[in-house]
């Protein structure tokens, strides 16, 4: 039986002392989970080690924790894999590091206060169906696909792993966050709900709402159920932006549009244009900037200066409009073709339709790449894993590491408030 | 002292449904759960929920399938109610927002399930229980002004008044260890089953038979406690569940020779015979040497179209991948029968009332009895919802009729003293709680499983009695107040031992084979002597056996073949 060391971050509030690390030796089959290891510690050595757990099968969502710094479920992380992960760099001997989830106060050991962080935010999004009038005599008749579509967000088990991993929430603790926004999509995507516009308006106008997400993919990596919260947030934005054309006070929509427009024109992001285009759109906007635009631009100066100071602008020429480098050869036309393609083939990829590993499971609705396009996207697909159904290679750069598991985002949306 | 008209203990489907139904009647409701409600084990019900809602189906057909599935031990009046009210309940859930699978016309669509003569199982992919429970929790949040939620409060005892009515509960706030006496006019037990007294089990760690034991200790009768379901498809060793929906979608069971062995046991229904039949068939194959070396047979899902697997069986793709390292879309997965469901429980009438005035029970903790000797797949969610609602409504009516009574404060003192006794025991004073728990689990799985006999049950009974004594001197490590799971584990172990004692007693007493109870020393069903329920109640320190009739309405017992 293999032996492992679990290095656990302990905290006993009644001791009057701060958190400390404690190592425990466990022996169990490598295919068993980190939670099994912790339960063995409780059973054999120290019953005071506190960890929420129940189903052991990744369905109850109790055992959210950080393992080697990564947020996930203890029961779903095999201890052998956790060991390998901990020792990837140095050949062995390192313990598996187990900590409570982030972005939440710790109650005791691995137990966090989810009420004051996670659940409060879930309640923030009016998490119940708001149908119009009395229900029909029989069921609501809806598109079959619409139910499968929102089943991906219904698959959320409220474990908090995405909240724990959320980088935006580290900066803005009031960010509504990935779990609650994924929950919001469950209603916005539900044809039985009658308040899609009101919900989206609310979430777009909130400075801690949908435009507070920085598109970092951390929640997608952390989610043990393939809910892909960030994708749900992007769907909310898409609905707010395209279907309801909600211009938010955070300038999120315009920022996003500016991003899309600049990349379409220049192939990559010309930072010198981003701010002005976000606040003062098009020539008309620049000739006759609104009061809000001027205020917004002036207000952004400190951020821009900080960016320069932090080395984000490596060359000051980038600040000069028109100096942005062009793409080599006919690459710009390829970018344009990608735009046209995604506009024609807009679709939401969903794990309930597509499966976990794309491979040979191209769904009926999937895009068959044109022969010439297939060529040009080959490289991108290599990076993204084996996703034949990947429709938006323009986003590949944004993915930290493609695992072929994440449904590809379909729009080239970026940006943050 | 928190005070509510109706106090619900347990917040899975039965508890949440009961709370919502009671609140709808306009009474004040408190719902207590030892875990956050969405962690409840109703999550684990993957496959679906039965209702005769399709054209061409009838509640009578659903009821007959259920009666037959129960091996004629189910009470037919209760089964009729459940099956008649099922369609309305499904529509109610749909209206609340459950994302049920639709057919091409956009209407509710069904899948096939075991023991059913029609495809009448409604579902949300293979997360049906989770989807329904999260939608009910949405409603609990919506009605937060009418329903007070006590999340992570652990109930240690029910409280009676001087006249023997149930008027509250003693509860420990897990967050800080404080003890509280709750006062109410009615208490509904909805704490789920007792699967953790078996190891392995598909049940979550929280399924420790709390409410069954609590009710038993204040004089409520338990019924059908010998009827423990072993699910045919669980992962070897770990006990994880592979939904019956897999077989509903067409998956095959194969022995080590590649033979589709159900042909021998249930030539008509094959893999979709009722669970007791399939589990026994598998165990027979394994016992007679036609299983794999790890004591399993194989479930072959590869015969199901892959598009359909992704759409309808995604969860078990994940289970196979994450917990067995098997891609079920490409190769068969090894499975065996595993402890799954408690058919028995607190004896109730059709509105959930027990023999203790003011005390109700619903869901897996209760025994109405709609499942009798064997529960059909996709009937458990239905049971929780129908009888959760009915008990919530009746408890609310009772609360409107009567005034608050005075719960005895002695119970609070007793419970506090018991916990300080436990905390006061020296480390090493006796056995570790975990050792006793593990011995109990192994014992029950060895002797009181798919095949039983008098000798084995006797051995189990003796061990259980010894473990009860050992619990008296067992010790815990954690002395703190905040989130002390060690103390809760010791109390849960006490609940499990009470459940185990009752199960062993009833299993030994029923000298026949019916439903999930298969006695190798009494292999035949014996309607002449045993077409009756075994009821157990606490008399002094020990259990007392009595009998009650099975209610028959329109279906006479027949030989049961699939």
């Amino acid at each position: 039986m293999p032996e492992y060391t679990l290095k656990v971050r302990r905290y006993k509030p009644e001791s009057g002392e701060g958190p400390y690390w404690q190592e425990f030796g466990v022996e169990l089959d490598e295919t068993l989970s980190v939670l099994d290891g912790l339960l063995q510690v409780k059973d054999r050595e120290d019953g005071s080690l506190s960890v929420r757990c129940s189903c052991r099968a990744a369905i109850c969502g109790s055992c959210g924790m950080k393992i080697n710094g990564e947020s996930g479920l203890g029961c779903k992380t095999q201890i052998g894999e956790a060991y390998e992960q901990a020792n990837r760099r140095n050949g062995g001997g390192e313990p598996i590091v187990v900590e409570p989830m982030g972005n939440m106060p710790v109650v005791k050991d691995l137990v966090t206060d989810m009420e004051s962080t996670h659940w409060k935010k879930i309640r923030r999004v009016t998490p119940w169906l708001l149908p119009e009038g009395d229900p029909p005599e029989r069921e609501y008749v809806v598109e079959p696909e619409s139910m499968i579509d929102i089943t991906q967000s219904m698959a959320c088990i409220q474990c908090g792993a995405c909240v724990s991993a959320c980088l935006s929430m580290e900066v803005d603790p009031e960010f509504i966050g990935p779990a609650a926004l994924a929950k919001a999509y469950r209603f916005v995507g539900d044809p039985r709900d009658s308040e899609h516009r009101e919900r989206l308006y609310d979430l777009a106008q909130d400075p801690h709402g949908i435009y507070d997400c920085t598109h970092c993919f951390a929640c997608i990596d952390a989610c043990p159920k393939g809910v892909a919260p960030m994708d749900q947030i992007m769907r909310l934005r898409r609905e707010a932006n395209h279907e309801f054309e909600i211009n938010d006070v955070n300038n999120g929509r315009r920022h996003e549009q500016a991003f899309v427009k600049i990349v379409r024109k220049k192939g990559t992001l010309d930072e010198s244009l981003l701010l002005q285009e976000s606040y003062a759109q098009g020539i008309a906007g620049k000739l006759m900037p609104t009061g809000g635009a001027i205020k917004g631009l002036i207000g952004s100066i400190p951020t821009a200066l900080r960016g320069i100071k932090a080395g984000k602008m490596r060359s000051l020429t980038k600040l000069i409009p028109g100096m942005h480098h062009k793409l080599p050869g006919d690459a710009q036309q390829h970018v344009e073709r990608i735009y046209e393609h995604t506009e024609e083939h807009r679709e939401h990829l969903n794990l309930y339709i597509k499966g976990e590993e794309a491979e040979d499971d191209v769904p009926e609705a999937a895009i068959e790449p044109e022969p010439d396009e297939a060529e040009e996207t080959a490289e991108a697909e290599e990076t993204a894993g084996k996703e034949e159904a990947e429709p938006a290679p323009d986003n590949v750069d944004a993915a930290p590491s493609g695992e072929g598991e994440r449904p590809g985002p379909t729009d080239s949306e970026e940006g943050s408030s | 002292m928190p005070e509510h008209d109706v106090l619900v203990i347990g917040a899975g489907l039965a508890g949440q449904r009961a709370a919502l139904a009671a609140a709808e009647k306009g009474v004040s409701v408190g719902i207590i759960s030892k875990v956050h409600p969405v962690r409840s084990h109703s999550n684990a019900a993957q496959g679906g929920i039965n209702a005769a809602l399709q054209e061409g189906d009838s509640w009578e057909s659903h009821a007959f399938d259920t009666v037959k599935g129960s091996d004629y031990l189910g009470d037919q009046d209760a089964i009729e109610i459940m099956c008649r009210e099922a369609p309305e309940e499904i529509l109610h859930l749909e209206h609340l927002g459950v994302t049920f699978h639709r057919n091409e016309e956009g209407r509710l669509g069904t899948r096939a399930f075991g023991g059913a003569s029609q495809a009448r199982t409604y579902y949300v992919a293979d997360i049906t229980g989770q989807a329904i429970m999260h939608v009910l929790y949405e409603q609990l949040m919506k009605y937060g002004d009418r329903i007070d939620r006590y999340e992570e409060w652990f109930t240690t005892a029910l409280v009676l008044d001087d006249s023997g009515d149930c008027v509250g509960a003693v509860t420990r706030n897990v967050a800080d260890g404080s003890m509280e006496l709750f006062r109410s006019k009615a208490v509904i037990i909805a704490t789920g089953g007792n699967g953790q007294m078996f190891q392995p089990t598909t049940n979550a760690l929280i399924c420790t038979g709390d409410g069954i034991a609590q009710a038993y200790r204040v004089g409520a009768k338990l019924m059908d406690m010998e009827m423990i379901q072993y699910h045919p498809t669980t992962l070897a060793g770990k006990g994880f569940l592979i939904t019956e929906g897999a077989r509903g979608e067409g998956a095959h069971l194969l022995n080590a020779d590649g033979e589709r062995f159900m042909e021998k046991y249930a030539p008509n229904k094959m893999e979709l015979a009722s669970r007791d039949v399939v589990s026994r068939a598998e165990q027979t194959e394994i016992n007679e040497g036609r299983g794999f070396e790890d004591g399993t047979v194989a479930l072959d899902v590869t015969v199901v179209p892959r598009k359909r697997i992704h759409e309808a069986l995604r969860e078990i793709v994940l289970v196979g991948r994450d917990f067995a390292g098997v891609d079920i879309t490409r190769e068969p997965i090894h499975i065996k029968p595993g402890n799954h469901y408690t058919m028995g429980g607190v004896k109730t009438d059709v509105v959930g009332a027990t023999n203790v005035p003011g005390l109700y029970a619903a869901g897996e903790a209760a025994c109405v009895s709609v499942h009798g000797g064997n529960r059909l797949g996709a009937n458990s969610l239905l049971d929780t919802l129908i009888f959760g609602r009915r008990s919530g409504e009746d408890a609310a009516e009772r609360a409107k009729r009567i005034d608050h009574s005075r719960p005895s404060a002695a119970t609070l003192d007793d419970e506090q003293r018991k916990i300080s006794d436990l905390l006061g025991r020296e480390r090493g004073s006796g056995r570790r709680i975990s050792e006793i728990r593990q011995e109990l689990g192994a014992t029950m799985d060895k002797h009181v499983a798919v095949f039983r006999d008098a000798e084995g049950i006797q051995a189990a009974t003796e061990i259980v009695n010894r473990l009860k004594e050992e619990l008296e001197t067992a010790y815990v490590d954690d002395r703190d107040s905040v989130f002390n799971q060690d103390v809760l584990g010791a109390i849960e172990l006490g609940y499990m031992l009470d459940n185990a004692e009752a199960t062993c007693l009833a299993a030994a007493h029923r000298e026949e084979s019916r439903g999930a109870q298969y006695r190798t020393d009494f292999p035949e069903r014996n309607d002449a002597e045993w077409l009756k329920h075994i009821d157990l109640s606490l008399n002094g320190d020990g259990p007392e056996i009595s009998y009650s009739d099975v209610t028959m309405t329109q279906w006479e017992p027949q030989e049961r073949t699939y």
Side-chain angles (χ1 to χ4, degrees):
Chain A
M1 193 76 77
E3 291 177 20
Y4 301 96
T5 304
L6 296 173
K7 184 179 174 186
V8 185
R9 187 179 157 99
R10 305 287 309 264
Y11 171 59
K12 292 179 174 300
E14 289 157 89
S15 70
E17 283 164 30
Y20 60 99
W21 292 98
Q22 188 172 6
E23 294 195 359
F24 297 99
V26 293
E27 44 175 11
L28 66 168
D29 193 82
E30 62 188 24
T31 62
L32 291 174
S33 68
V34 171
L35 176 64
D36 288 321
L38 293 167
L39 290 174
Q40 190 181 97
V41 170
K42 281 168 77 84
D43 279 354
R44 294 186 185 172
E45 199 176 337
D46 186 354
S48 77
L49 175 63
S50 294
V51 53
R52 286 195 185 99
C53 53
S54 181
C55 74
R56 304 157 298 138
I59 45 177
C60 78
S62 299
C63 65
M65 59 183 72
K66 278 187 182 174
I67 298 165
N68 300 321
E70 287 183 11
S71 301
L73 292 178
C75 70
K76 195 172 177 270
T77 309
Q78 290 191 354
I79 198 159
E81 283 175 10
Y83 177 81
E84 274 172 33
Q85 187 197 30
N87 290 282
R88 206 163 280 158
R89 288 212 173 77
N90 55 6
E94 289 294 317
I96 297 163
V97 179
V98 183
E99 299 167 82
M101 286 195 286
N103 288 328
M104 299 174 205
V106 178
V107 175
K108 179 184 182 183
D109 295 338
L110 300 174
V111 177
T112 57
D113 176 5
M114 288 189 71
E115 169 55 31
S116 70
T117 47
H118 177 79
W119 287 107
K120 200 170 132 193
K121 289 175 179 183
I122 293 287
R123 292 195 293 272
R124 161 70 185 79
V125 303
T126 320
W128 47 82
L129 194 74
L130 296 167
E132 191 161 13
D134 291 332
E137 205 167 297
R138 292 278 298 204
E139 68 270 37
Y140 289 97
V141 177
V142 295
E143 288 290 319
E145 290 75 23
S146 66
M147 289 293 109
I148 295 178
D149 176 42
I150 51 173
T151 295
Q152 184 163 6
S153 47
M154 281 304 297
C156 172
I157 55 175
Q158 311 292 351
C159 67
C162 59
V163 174
S164 168
C166 179
L167 297 175
S168 290
M169 209 178 280
E170 271 185 38
V171 180
D172 174 15
E174 288 184 68
F175 176 36
I176 294 174
L181 290 174
K183 184 82 175 169
Y185 182 74
R186 171 250 176 288
F187 300 103
V188 168
D190 193 326
R192 298 168 295 184
D193 191 273
S194 66
E195 306 217 353
H196 295 170
R197 169 177 279 280
E198 291 79 356
R199 289 177 186 278
L200 287 166
Y201 186 84
D202 173 40
L203 297 173
Q205 297 291 14
D206 191 321
H208 314 289
I210 49 177
Y211 291 110
D212 210 6
C213 167
T214 58
H215 218 168
C216 76
F217 288 78
C219 59
I220 295 184
D221 285 345
C223 178
K225 304 302 286 188
V227 172
M230 191 196 83
D231 283 359
Q232 314 305 329
I233 298 173
M234 292 309 129
R235 288 167 165 188
L236 290 171
R237 284 194 192 174
R238 217 168 287 145
E239 294 280 318
N241 190 344
H242 296 290
E243 304 302 324
F244 293 102
E245 302 180 341
I246 295 167
N247 283 312
D248 53 292
V249 293
N250 310 303
N251 217 36
R253 181 183 187 224
R254 289 195 190 89
H255 186 66
E256 197 167 281
Q257 287 172 336
F259 222 104
V260 172
K261 185 175 164 186
I262 293 167
V263 174
R264 182 169 205 159
K265 209 166 148 193
K266 307 231 166 185
T268 55
L269 186 69
D270 183 348
E271 300 248 14
S272 68
L273 298 178
L274 185 59
L275 271 179
Q276 34 174 314
E277 188 59 31
S278 296
Y279 284 104
Q281 290 184 306
I283 295 172
K286 287 177 193 68
L287 289 176
M288 299 240 306
T290 61
I294 293 166
K295 204 174 150 203
L297 280 167
I298 292 170
S300 301
I301 289 172
T303 312
L305 291 175
R306 272 202 307 277
I308 293 167
K309 205 173 161 195
K312 200 167 184 252
M313 305 270 185
R314 263 168 295 163
S315 157
L316 283 178
T317 55
K318 288 198 173 184
L319 284 176
I320 305 167
M323 291 291 284
H324 189 72
H325 67 87
K326 290 196 171 68
L327 291 185
D330 58 354
Q332 187 59 43
Q333 282 156 288
H334 289 272
V335 171
E336 177 60 28
R337 214 175 301 154
I338 291 167
Y339 268 76
E340 284 165 11
H341 187 95
T342 50
E343 276 164 9
E344 275 170 42
H345 298 278
R346 176 165 294 161
E347 61 175 324
H348 301 308
L349 292 181
N350 179 302
L351 291 174
Y352 282 86
I353 298 166
K354 180 167 149 307
E356 296 302 311
E357 314 281 340
E359 297 152 294
D360 45 54
D361 288 336
V362 183
E364 281 169 18
I367 306 152
E368 287 291 329
E370 316 278 331
D372 57 335
E373 256 182 327
E375 230 177 88
E376 90 200 13
T377 58
E379 197 193 332
E381 275 173 13
E382 225 172 271
T383 329
K386 289 171 273 182
E387 289 209 33
E388 285 178 21
E390 172 72 63
D394 56 314
N395 251 0
V396 164
D397 286 344
S401 66
E403 286 175 4
E405 179 175 308
R406 171 184 58 78
T410 51
D411 281 4
S412 54
E413 292 165 345
E414 282 281 343
S416 58
S417 58
Chain B
M1 177 165 56
E3 188 177 296
H4 300 280
D5 289 330
V6 174
L7 191 63
V8 182
I9 303 174
L13 278 186
Q16 294 194 33
R17 188 69 185 90
L20 289 165
E24 218 164 292
K25 292 269 172 192
V27 301
S28 73
V29 180
I31 182 165
I32 296 174
S33 172
K34 67 177 177 179
V35 291
H36 187 284
V38 305
R39 314 294 175 218
S40 303
H41 193 55
S42 307
N43 266 334
Q46 299 170 344
I49 176 167
N50 287 333
L53 181 60
Q54 302 253 83
E55 227 162 283
D57 200 359
S58 69
W59 71 261
E60 289 92 341
S61 164
H62 181 190
F64 172 70
D65 290 342
T66 305
V67 168
K68 180 182 172 188
S70 81
D71 218 347
Y72 297 90
L73 191 63
D75 286 313
Q76 295 180 8
D77 55 340
I79 291 171
E80 286 188 5
I81 287 170
M82 181 176 82
C83 298
R84 257 202 321 256
E85 295 181 0
E88 201 182 326
E89 189 65 29
I90 300 284
L91 292 176
H92 174 67
L93 295 172
E94 199 278 326
H95 295 156
L96 291 182
V98 176
T99 55
F100 281 118
H101 170 82
R102 307 292 161 142
N103 61 22
E104 281 170 11
E105 288 92 59
R107 298 191 164 276
L108 295 174
T110 58
R111 66 160 46 126
F113 237 64
S117 52
Q118 295 253 3
R120 65 167 71 92
T121 302
Y122 294 85
Y123 65 99
V124 181
D126 52 3
I127 55 166
T128 313
Q130 177 189 326
I132 297 175
M133 192 163 72
H134 281 249
V135 168
L136 288 191
Y137 189 69
E138 291 167 10
Q139 297 296 309
L140 279 191
M141 290 190 278
K142 181 177 177 184
Y143 295 108
D145 56 336
R146 285 190 241 168
I147 303 172
D148 287 325
R149 305 190 300 272
Y150 299 90
E151 295 166 352
E152 296 186 327
W153 288 63
F154 183 99
T155 302
T156 67
L158 299 174
V159 182
L160 306 183
D161 66 6
D162 292 341
S163 54
D165 290 8
C166 187
V167 292
V170 173
T171 291
R172 179 180 169 97
N173 183 353
V174 179
D176 63 11
S178 62
M179 303 284 284
E180 195 77 70
L181 177 60
F182 281 74
R183 182 154 93 155
S184 69
K185 298 177 187 173
V187 176
I188 301 173
I189 293 286
T191 50
N194 58 25
Q196 277 292 321
M197 69 184 189
F198 288 78
Q199 290 299 338
T201 173
T202 64
N203 282 203
L205 298 167
I206 55 173
C207 300
T208 47
D210 302 14
I212 297 174
Q214 288 155 9
Y216 178 64
R217 289 173 187 179
V218 297
K221 283 185 177 174
L222 306 183
M223 186 165 86
D224 298 349
M225 286 297 284
E226 68 279 23
M227 297 303 178
I228 301 286
Q229 181 166 80
Y230 268 61
H231 192 288
T233 52
T234 70
L235 282 187
K238 303 177 190 181
F240 294 151
L241 177 67
I242 305 286
T243 177
E244 185 164 311
R247 283 170 287 137
E249 300 290 344
H252 295 169
L253 288 169
L254 306 173
N255 62 22
D257 306 327
E259 185 191 358
R260 213 176 148 195
F261 57 84
M262 283 310 296
E263 281 166 2
K264 292 182 285 188
Y265 304 91
N268 296 319
K269 296 293 285 183
M270 300 290 287
E271 282 84 359
L272 289 178
S274 68
R275 288 177 176 174
D276 56 331
V277 173
V278 181
S279 285
R280 266 195 300 279
E282 290 176 1
Q283 197 62 52
T284 304
E285 292 294 305
I286 294 163
N287 291 352
E288 292 178 0
R290 293 185 295 277
F292 296 96
E293 269 178 22
D294 56 349
T296 60
V297 289
L299 177 73
D300 184 5
V301 189
T302 63
V303 293
V304 181
R306 302 188 68 190
K307 177 170 179 289
R308 186 65 190 152
I309 295 178
H310 292 318
E311 178 181 295
L313 299 170
R314 179 173 166 252
E315 184 64 33
I316 63 164
V317 175
L318 297 182
V319 168
R321 188 190 71 188
D322 297 333
F323 298 110
V326 172
D327 179 353
I328 62 155
T329 66
R330 292 171 191 280
E331 55 181 320
I333 187 167
H334 287 199
I335 51 89
K336 61 179 282 197
N339 173 277
H340 183 57
Y341 187 84
T342 311
M343 264 82 71
V346 184
K347 181 184 173 75
T348 73
D349 63 15
V350 294
V351 293
T354 71
N355 59 303
V356 176
L359 181 63
Y360 294 76
E364 193 172 345
C367 183
V368 186
S369 146
V370 286
H371 308 305
N374 172 66
R375 173 175 71 76
L376 290 192
N379 263 357
S380 64
L381 291 182
L382 186 59
D383 171 24
T384 63
L385 294 162
I386 298 291
F387 294 102
R389 172 174 55 71
R390 291 175 75 91
S391 58
E393 287 169 354
D394 201 73
E397 294 302 336
R398 173 185 167 87
K400 287 183 189 170
R401 278 197 311 270
I402 63 171
D403 293 324
H404 270 295
S405 174
R406 183 176 295 278
S408 151
T411 314
L412 178 61
D413 296 341
D414 286 351
E415 291 303 306
Q416 275 169 332
R417 201 180 50 246
K418 276 188 221 165
I419 288 176
S420 17
D421 283 355
L422 177 63
L423 289 171
R425 281 178 218 154
E426 290 289 318
R427 203 182 149 103
S429 63
R431 296 182 81 186
R432 288 184 74 80
I433 298 290
S434 56
E435 288 172 12
I436 302 177
R437 194 187 68 231
Q438 283 158 3
E439 190 177 350
L440 171 66
T443 300
M444 295 299 282
D445 193 56
K446 185 173 176 197
H447 295 301
V448 203
V450 176
F451 293 112
R452 305 168 173 178
D453 63 24
E455 203 182 329
I457 300 168
Q458 178 59 28
T461 306
E462 282 165 20
I463 293 169
V464 168
N465 288 336
R466 169 170 55 77
L467 296 178
K468 283 184 94 160
E469 279 172 33
E470 288 174 351
L471 180 60
E472 298 297 314
T473 56
Y475 66 94
V476 295
D477 297 329
D478 198 346
R479 315 277 151 156
D480 287 351
S481 302
V482 175
F483 232 91
N484 188 330
Q485 297 174 311
D486 223 3
V487 161
L488 306 186
I491 300 170
E492 287 174 335
L493 180 57
Y495 294 147
M496 284 193 275
L497 287 165
D498 281 7
N499 279 266
E501 182 185 39
T503 294
C504 290
L505 182 63
H509 198 68
R510 182 176 288 279
E511 294 186 332
E512 66 152 356
S513 292
R514 180 186 300 274
Q517 155 105 342
Y518 193 92
R519 289 280 301 261
T520 51
D521 43 356
F522 298 96
E524 300 298 323
R525 194 174 86 188
N526 178 355
D527 287 340
E529 282 180 72
W530 285 108
L531 188 57
K532 59 188 177 189
H533 298 289
I534 297 175
D535 299 345
L536 300 173
S537 50
L538 191 63
N539 188 358
D541 269 348
E544 188 178 88
I545 292 176
S546 57
Y547 305 102
S548 52
D549 291 336
V550 174
T551 310
M552 300 277 175
T553 56
Q554 45 179 314
W555 296 284
E556 287 297 317
Q558 299 167 4
E559 198 197 342
R560 188 160 159 264
T561 55
Y562 285 99

